[in-house]
């Protein structure tokens, strides 16, 4: 097979060419010396005895040429010319070397050279920017750490720890005068008035309702008044506030409730579901001898 | 089918025991060498024998428990105290860098390290929060929520800028801290915390990030009040420095009116971050309500200077092949 036509007839069209890749719409050529990358009669390096390509090696572009005179000497087949780094000069060099060559090859060589220089420029620009470094993760280590984290979370008992710390801080009086829990005073009072009536102990227990100390009997809205701050409880609150106002007999209680409203801004815990369960009004009568069981606003 | 009876086959070649011990005292009874369950070749029978042995063990254990309980009841007040169950925290390998609260050297170090001006209230933290390139929605939302929690913080998008160029600009604009949230596959998975005027840089692995909307029973949005900070369980020197670094993100004067608290809880080298609103129901009871985002951090490395991956001087790197060998050894 020496003639180009024969070669193309055989390899290109009829029989197997190992460089050929067929896709649905096009044929590609995997030959490293191919100028365009497609499998064509004019681009096949095997089927053209006079052929030229541009190849790039480590940032340097070379022009490879093959002529029919050297077809018998495969190791000397491809002649290599180094192109200058300057784009225009390199184009001139290509022209110079391929001066009497077919137009197609000259044109395609210059096109390929342009594309190569463009991607080289892009590579240089990108390497100057920050590269993303991919760090491989070991699946085993990841699984182990995830499991350990879950166990640590359970062991941590975060809520309890936080609550304990906050109570510690309250005890250490870091909050100053904001919260009127006179702990020490009450402890002393407890010790002193241990044997006395339950009123004192009630007073100690009910620091929240300090307003009611004066009154003997009121309608005390324990739950719903405290909900007034949180929008979740708005519906409940509004309905119960109306209940409140309708049921309260004295003006004092109203003002007190208002005061308590503002005071209780700082007091109610909000655990949503726990609150929602209560839809009823708890009414308590404050008496001097109230039984010890007073339900707290929880 | 051969009965599943006792398989008292002696292993061949076993010498009868008592032959050696004729002269021994009569109390020392020597049994012939017993066979063990694992010597039975037949899998089914072996399994059966093993199950039987297990049942026996369980029975014995139960019997022991009952006996002990009876003894305890009988003794009443004089009973020995109940043994404390072993936990990983109990069994933790003692770390020689554990900080003693009265240690003067540590106190001196802390008075002169990079965070001293913050703890002396000379500087107010100003934080810049940013992400890695091209953050996805989750990361963006996380950064926003983080900036709502940390007072005096700003979120800026990183549009391909190099950190090394950002840092001098930040210093020029008086930022004290830089937080970079690293993202991978659309979720935030890393955190780089850099204290700016050439302070230490800590790199954490971040996991279990929950945004506000994914938290159940959450409260309203966090307000602008300065939250309190709780640092739990930072016992070693390394833990102390990490704790100080984390605490220096928040201004040192919390506003108690806001009733907000940010917690960094260290458990077995995992730092859990939570943000709550608390309320004191009485002097012995407090209710907390979780607000903002939550995440866990695991320390990966600490660098001495600001972020420099190539030439930085690492104070501590987590090397999992050396440091993860013991399950009872923790570093923070």
């Amino acid at each position: 097979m020496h003639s180009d036509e024969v070669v193309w007839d055989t390899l290109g069209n009829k029989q197997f060419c190992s460089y050929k890749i067929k896709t649905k719409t096009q044929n590609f050529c995997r030959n490293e010396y191919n100028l365009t990358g497609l499998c064509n009669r004019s681009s096949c390096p095997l089927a053209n005895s006079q052929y030229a390509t541009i190849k790039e090696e480590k940032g340097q572009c070379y022009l490879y040429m093959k002529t029919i005179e050297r077809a018998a000497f495969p190791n000397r087949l491809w002649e290599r010319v180094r192109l200058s780094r300057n784009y225009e000069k390199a184009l001139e060099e290509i022209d110079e070397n391929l001066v009497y060559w077919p137009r197609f090859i000259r044109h395609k060589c210059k096109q390929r050279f342009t594309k190569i220089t463009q991607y080289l420029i892009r590579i240089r620009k990108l390497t100057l920017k920050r590269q993303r470094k991919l760090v491989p993760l070991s699946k085993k280590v990841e699984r182990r750490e995830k499991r350990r984290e879950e166990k640590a979370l359970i062991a941590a008992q975060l809520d309890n720890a936080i609550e304990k710390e906050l109570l510690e801080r309250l005890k250490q009086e870091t909050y100053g005068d904001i919260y009127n829990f006179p702990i020490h005073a009450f402890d002393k009072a407890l010790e002193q008035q241990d044997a006395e009536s339950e009123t004192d102990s009630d007073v100690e227990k009910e620091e929240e309702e300090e307003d009611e100390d004066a009154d003997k009997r009121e309608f005390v809205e324990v739950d719903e008044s405290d909900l007034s701050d949180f929008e979740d409880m708005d519906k409940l609150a509004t309905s119960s506030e109306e209940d409140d106002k309708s049921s309260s007999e004295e003006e004092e209680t109203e003002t007190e409730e208002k005061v308590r409203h503002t005071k209780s801004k700082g007091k109610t815990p909000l655990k949503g579901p726990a609150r929602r369960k209560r839809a009823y009004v708890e009414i308590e009568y404050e008496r001097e001898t109230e039984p010890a069981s007073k339900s707290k606003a929880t | 089918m051969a009965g599943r009876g006792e398989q008292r086959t002696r292993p061949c070649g076993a010498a009868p025991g008592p032959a050696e011990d004729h002269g021994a005292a009569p109390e020392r009874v020597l049994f012939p060498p017993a066979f063990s369950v694992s010597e039975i070749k037949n899998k089914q029978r072996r399994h059966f024998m093993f199950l039987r042995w297990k049942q026996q063990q369980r029975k014995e254990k139960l019997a022991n428990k009952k006996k002990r309980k009876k003894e305890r009841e009988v003794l009443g007040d004089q009973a020995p105290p109940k043994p404390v169950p072993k936990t990983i925290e109990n069994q933790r390998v003692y770390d020689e860098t554990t900080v003693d609260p009265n240690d003067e050297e540590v106190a001196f170090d802390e008075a002169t390290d990079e965070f001293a001006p913050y703890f002396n209230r000379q500087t107010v933290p100003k934080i810049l929060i940013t992400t890695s390139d091209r953050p996805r929605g989750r990361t963006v939302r996380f950064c926003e929520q983080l900036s709502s929690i940390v007072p005096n913080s700003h979120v800026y998008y990183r549009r391909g800028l190099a950190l090394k160029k950002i840092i001098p600009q930040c210093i020029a604009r008086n930022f004290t801290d830089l937080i970079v949230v690293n993202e991978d596959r659309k979720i935030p998975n890393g955190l780089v915390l850099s204290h700016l005027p050439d302070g230490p840089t800590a790199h954490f692995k971040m996991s279990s990030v929950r945004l506000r909307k994914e938290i159940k029973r959450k409260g309203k949005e966090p307000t602008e009040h300065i939250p309190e900070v709780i640092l739990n369980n930072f016992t070693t020197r390394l833990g102390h420095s990490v704790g100080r670094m984390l605490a220096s993100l928040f201004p040192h004067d919390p506003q108690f009116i806001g009733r907000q608290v940010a917690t960094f809880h260290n458990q077995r080298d995992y730092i859990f971050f939570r943000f709550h609103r608390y309320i004191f129901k009485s002097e012995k009871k407090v209710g907390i309500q979780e607000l903002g985002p939550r995440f866990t951090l695991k320390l990966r490395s600490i660098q001495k200077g600001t972020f420099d991956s190539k030439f930085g001087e690492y104070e501590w790197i987590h090397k999992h092949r050396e440091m993860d060998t013991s399950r009872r050894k923790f570093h923070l």
Side-chain angles (χ1 to χ4, degrees), chain A residues 228-292:
Chain A
S228 57
D229 309 316
F230 297 90
E231 63 182 29
D232 297 346
M233 301 300 136
D234 259 350
K235 306 174 222 161
L236 270 177
T238 45
S239 60
S240 57
E241 272 182 33
E242 287 158 25
D243 283 343
D244 253 352
K245 292 191 175 142
S246 59
S247 65
S248 64
E249 297 170 352
E250 304 158 7
E251 277 192 313
E252 287 184 18
T253 51
E254 281 195 40
T255 51
E256 277 175 15
E257 275 166 11
K258 284 180 195 159
V259 171
R260 224 182 313 121
H261 275 252
T262 52
K263 253 208 155 181
S264 66
K265 257 195 193 323
K267 287 177 196 162
T268 321
L270 189 62
K271 299 283 180 187
R275 304 303 266 132
R276 278 191 212 277
K277 279 185 198 158
R278 311 245 183 110
Y280 55 89
V281 171
E282 264 189 41
I283 304 181
E284 285 189 342
Y285 296 82
E286 289 292 315
R287 294 172 195 277
E288 289 221 12
T289 55
E290 181 178 324

Side-chain angles (χ1 to χ4, degrees), chain B residues 33-50:
Chain B
F35 79 114
S36 77
V37 174
S38 57
E39 281 167 10
I40 304 177
K41 299 287 186 185
N42 185 328
K43 183 167 178 172
Q44 216 172 14
R45 274 189 228 137
R46 188 171 65 230
H47 184 60
F48 174 74
M49 294 305 287
F50 175 73

Side-chain angles (χ1 to χ4, degrees), chain A residues 61-286:
Chain A
C61 293
Y62 298 93
L63 170 66
Y64 285 76
M65 291 177 286
K66 99 167 167 175
T67 45
I68 197 167
E69 285 90 25
R70 299 194 299 269
F73 313 108
N75 77 331
R76 289 181 243 157
L77 187 58
W78 289 96
E79 177 190 344
R80 183 166 91 161
V81 172
R82 194 172 66 179
L83 297 172
S84 112
R85 294 261 189 184
N86 186 338
Y87 180 70
E88 281 88 18
K89 262 212 191 141
L91 285 181
E92 281 170 16
E93 281 174 15
I94 294 178
D95 259 333
E96 199 182 299
N97 276 307
L98 302 179
V99 62
Y100 294 120
W101 285 52
R103 235 185 333 209
F104 176 79
I105 292 188
R106 249 187 293 153
H107 186 234
K108 286 298 179 187
C109 274
K110 285 191 231 168
Q111 273 190 339
R112 193 178 167 90
F113 175 71
T114 313
K115 191 164 238 155
I116 288 180
T117 45
Q118 284 173 349
Y119 82 58
L120 284 176
I121 292 173
R122 194 149 176 256
I123 289 178
R124 275 180 239 133
K125 213 193 319 181
L126 283 180
T127 49
L128 287 180
K129 279 195 176 180
R130 299 161 5 244
Q131 311 273 6
R132 256 218 163 131
K133 187 170 165 202
L134 293 177
V135 176
L137 299 174
S138 163
K139 192 160 64 158
K140 177 176 169 189
V141 172
E142 292 301 305
R143 254 191 285 144
R144 183 171 65 195
E145 292 203 339
K146 185 159 161 272
R147 184 96 179 112
R148 286 199 184 158
E149 183 190 324
E150 287 167 15
K151 296 209 159 180
L153 182 62
I154 298 174
Q157 293 179 342
L158 282 171
D159 290 342
N160 290 351
I162 298 178
E163 287 173 8
K164 240 201 311 188
E165 176 68 28
L166 289 170
L167 288 172
E168 265 299 313
R169 290 190 180 181
L170 183 66
K171 245 206 246 176
Q172 307 291 338
E173 296 179 6
T174 42
Y175 298 131
D177 281 333
I178 310 178
Y179 301 107
N180 295 330
F181 299 138
I183 311 168
H184 307 300
F186 275 154
D187 282 344
K188 281 186 209 156
L190 247 184
E191 288 165 32
Q192 286 171 12
Q193 301 164 17
D194 209 50
E196 288 202 43
S197 62
E198 291 170 49
T199 332
D200 291 339
S201 53
D202 288 345
V203 165
E204 282 155 16
K205 282 185 209 161
E206 292 145 29
E207 311 100 6
E208 287 175 8
E209 275 82 37
E210 287 163 347
D211 301 322
E212 297 138 32
D213 287 348
D215 292 345
K216 293 188 182 180
R217 168 204 258 249
E218 305 172 38
F219 289 89
V220 175
E221 252 290 306
V222 177
D223 301 335
E224 277 69 12
S225 64
D226 293 338
L227 305 177
S228 57
D229 309 316
F230 297 90
E231 63 182 29
D232 297 346
M233 301 300 136
D234 259 350
K235 306 174 222 161
L236 270 177
T238 45
S239 60
S240 57
E241 272 182 33
E242 287 158 25
D243 283 343
D244 253 352
K245 292 191 175 142
S246 59
S247 65
S248 64
E249 297 170 352
E250 304 158 7
E251 277 192 313
E252 287 184 18
T253 51
E254 281 195 40
T255 51
E256 277 175 15
E257 275 166 11
K258 284 180 195 159
V259 171
R260 224 182 313 121
H261 275 252
T262 52
K263 253 208 155 181
S264 66
K265 257 195 193 323
K267 287 177 196 162
T268 321
L270 189 62
K271 299 283 180 187
R275 304 303 266 132
R276 278 191 212 277
K277 279 185 198 158
R278 311 245 183 110
Y280 55 89
V281 171
E282 264 189 41
I283 304 181
E284 285 189 342
Y285 296 82
E286 289 292 315

Side-chain angles (χ1 to χ4, degrees), chain B residues 54-302:
Chain B
K54 267 298 220 192
Q55 277 174 2
Q56 252 180 359
Q57 297 291 99
R58 255 182 266 142
K59 253 197 248 171
E60 280 172 24
K61 189 171 170 189
L62 199 58
N64 276 344
K65 240 192 193 170
K66 282 205 175 139
K67 202 171 70 167
R68 245 181 280 137
K69 190 169 175 196
K70 263 205 191 128
E71 281 174 14
R72 164 158 279 138
E73 275 174 22
V74 162
L75 285 179
D77 278 334
Q78 301 152 352
K82 269 194 175 175
V84 180
K86 295 189 202 170
T87 62
I88 294 187
E89 282 76 27
N90 285 346
Q91 308 294 101
R92 175 177 173 175
V93 165
Y94 175 70
D95 197 337
E96 63 247 2
T97 60
T98 309
V99 171
D100 179 28
N102 310 326
D103 201 344
E104 288 170 357
E105 188 188 327
V106 174
F108 177 69
D109 272 340
E110 293 187 351
T112 50
D113 75 351
E114 291 104 352
F115 298 106
Y118 159 76
F119 281 105
N120 292 338
R121 294 201 176 81
Q122 286 165 9
T123 48
V124 175
K126 190 174 171 198
I127 317 242
L128 177 71
I129 302 183
T130 181
T131 65
S132 52
D133 271 343
R134 300 194 161 258
R136 309 295 297 225
R138 214 180 141 83
T139 316
V140 167
R141 267 175 277 143
F142 175 67
C143 286
E144 282 169 28
Q145 291 181 8
L146 201 58
S147 88
S148 75
I149 279 193
V150 177
N152 206 5
S153 61
H154 308 265
V155 182
Y156 282 104
Y157 288 118
R158 185 125 89 126
R159 297 146 108 255
L161 301 168
L163 268 185
K164 297 218 201 117
K165 293 199 186 131
I166 297 183
I167 288 181
Q169 287 189 17
C170 286
I171 299 180
R173 292 181 207 196
N174 285 329
F175 278 96
T176 58
D177 287 279
L178 172 69
I179 298 183
V180 182
V181 177
N182 189 49
E183 185 203 358
D184 178 50
R185 293 227 201 120
K186 306 184 196 171
I187 46 167
N189 75 341
L191 192 82
V192 175
L193 173 56
S194 186
H195 190 69
L196 273 185
D198 62 48
T201 308
H203 176 41
F204 296 95
K205 177 172 91 143
M206 185 155 61
S207 45
S208 316
V209 176
R210 303 279 176 264
L211 302 177
R212 291 202 71 239
K213 66 178 181 185
E214 294 157 10
I215 296 180
K216 302 184 187 164
R217 301 192 203 111
K218 65 172 184 297
K220 289 186 184 171
E221 286 198 7
T223 59
E224 295 291 324
H225 296 112
I226 299 179
E228 296 175 49
V229 178
I230 291 183
L231 298 167
N232 271 345
N233 275 350
F234 288 96
T235 48
T236 61
R237 285 297 294 270
L238 182 67
H240 249 246
S241 49
V242 169
R244 281 164 71 82
M245 201 189 300
L246 293 170
S248 72
L249 292 175
F250 296 89
H252 206 56
D253 302 309
Q255 293 171 319
F256 298 122
I257 325 172
R259 283 185 290 125
Q260 292 175 138
V261 58
T263 311
F264 292 94
H265 181 105
N266 171 39
Q267 187 83 15
R268 303 181 194 174
D269 279 357
Y270 289 95
I271 303 176
F272 297 101
F273 171 80
R274 300 286 185 271
F275 194 76
H276 292 278
R277 185 173 280 144
Y278 62 87
I279 189 164
F280 283 106
K281 296 185 244 175
S282 72
E283 88 267 16
K284 294 222 169 65
K285 243 185 178 183
V286 59
I288 52 176
Q289 181 189 39
E290 180 154 12
L291 305 180
R294 59 156 86 155
F295 51 89
T296 33
L297 300 173
K298 186 163 202 281
L299 183 67
R300 276 227 202 110
S301 64
I302 292 194

